[in-house]
């Protein structure tokens, strides 16, 4: 299993479990380009994308909670907020991540006493600082949280024919944009999760 993370900040505490992980960069463009390069060079049989996420309002998620993506949606492609309810981009903007690997990783975490929320995630080009935008995106796609790389990695993985599982930890609550992020707590949770998975996948 090849582990991908957006930044060196996220990579540092996770290398203990997966020393050969790859940093792919921040945002959809850099993530797509770097992921494609890594897949050509490494030719993995499975990808695990890990990182931080901002939880949408009304999800009941707390700082440090784990989320597993069942789908990735490019949420701000085509029109900026506010988006008309009937608008859909004229290109593909959703990728399903459901499959046996998702279920296996969820089961592995559960057996180790770690629970992960399970649902759609939204990829955006910039973090939602407006709670109304966060509420709109969360409601429109019935999504748990947002990030800046998931859709790009999902498209690159599907093009390469490699299954992808996306596991993130909540670092910030989008309902409270002025509140400080707790990246330390989120990364500690991810570190614990990857330690569990390393016992199965390495």
């Amino acid at each position: 299993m090849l582990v991908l993370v957006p930044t060196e900040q996220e990579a540092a505490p996770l290398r203990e479990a997966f020393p050969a992980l790859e940093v792919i960069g921040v945002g959809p463009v850099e993530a797509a380009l770097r992921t494609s390069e890594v897949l050509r060079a490494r030719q993995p049989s499975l990808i695990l994308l890990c990182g931080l996420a901002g939880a949408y309002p009304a999800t009941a998620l707390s700082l440090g909670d784990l989320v597993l993506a069942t789908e990735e949606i490019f949420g701000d492609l085509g029109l900026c907020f506010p988006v008309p309810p009937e608008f859909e981009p004229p290109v593909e903007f959703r990728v399903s991540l459901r499959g046996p690997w998702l279920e296996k990783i969820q089961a592995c975490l559960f057996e180790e006493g770690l629970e992960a929320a399970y649902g759609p995630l939204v990829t955006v080009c910039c973090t939602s600082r407006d709670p109304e935008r966060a509420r709109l995106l969360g409601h429109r796609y019935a999504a748990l949280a947002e990030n800046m790389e998931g859709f790009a990695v999902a498209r690159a993985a599907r093009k390469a024919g490699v299954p992808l599982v996306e596991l993130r930890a909540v670092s910030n609550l989008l309902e409270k944009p002025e509140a400080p992020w707790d990246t330390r707590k989120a990364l500690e949770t991810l570190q614990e999760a990857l330690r569990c998975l390393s016992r199965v996948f390495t």
Side-chain angles (χ1 to χ4, degrees):
M1 180 169 70
L2 175 62
V3 177
L4 305 179
V5 296
T7 68
E8 185 59 39
Q9 179 190 23
E10 290 153 306
L14 306 182
R15 283 201 175 96
E16 175 190 330
F18 288 90
L21 60 75
E22 295 275 358
V23 176
I24 58 169
V26 175
V29 175
E30 189 66 26
L33 291 172
R34 181 62 184 147
T35 298
S36 296
E37 293 173 354
V38 169
L39 294 184
R40 283 194 297 270
R42 300 282 296 271
Q43 299 184 345
S45 58
L46 172 66
I47 305 164
L48 178 65
L49 172 62
C50 292
L52 304 176
Y56 284 128
T59 60
L61 290 170
S62 300
L63 295 173
D65 284 355
L66 294 171
V67 292
L68 277 166
T70 57
E71 181 182 22
E72 264 293 354
I73 302 150
F74 201 166
D76 57 2
L77 176 65
L79 281 180
C80 292
F81 170 78
V83 180
E86 70 281 0
F87 174 78
E88 289 197 359
V91 295
E92 182 177 20
F93 68 105
R94 306 177 81 128
V95 178
S96 175
L97 299 180
R98 292 183 180 275
W101 285 113
L102 173 61
E103 294 172 4
K104 183 172 182 177
I105 285 179
Q106 185 182 36
C108 287
L109 294 174
F110 183 77
E111 288 169 6
E112 295 288 340
L114 294 172
E115 293 189 14
Y118 188 79
L121 299 185
V122 174
T123 295
V124 291
C125 292
C126 55
T127 302
S128 295
R129 292 282 293 173
D130 182 346
E132 187 57 33
R133 172 183 139 121
R135 280 189 284 272
L136 183 147
L137 289 172
H139 175 75
R140 182 180 178 87
Y141 300 116
L144 296 174
E146 71 180 28
N147 67 92
M148 295 173 62
E149 300 83 23
F151 178 83
V153 175
R155 288 281 281 137
R158 191 170 70 174
K159 186 173 182 180
V162 182
L164 168 70
V165 177
E166 184 177 6
L167 174 67
R168 291 182 178 267
V170 174
S171 58
N172 56 301
L173 305 178
L174 296 170
E175 194 168 27
K176 303 174 181 178
E178 302 303 324
W181 292 26
D182 197 340
T183 56
R184 179 177 178 179
K185 185 174 184 177
L187 290 174
E188 285 174 351
T189 308
L190 271 181
Q191 186 181 46
E192 184 179 2
L194 261 67
R195 284 197 193 107
C196 295
L197 295 177
S198 70
R199 294 194 282 270
V200 178
F201 290 96
T202 57

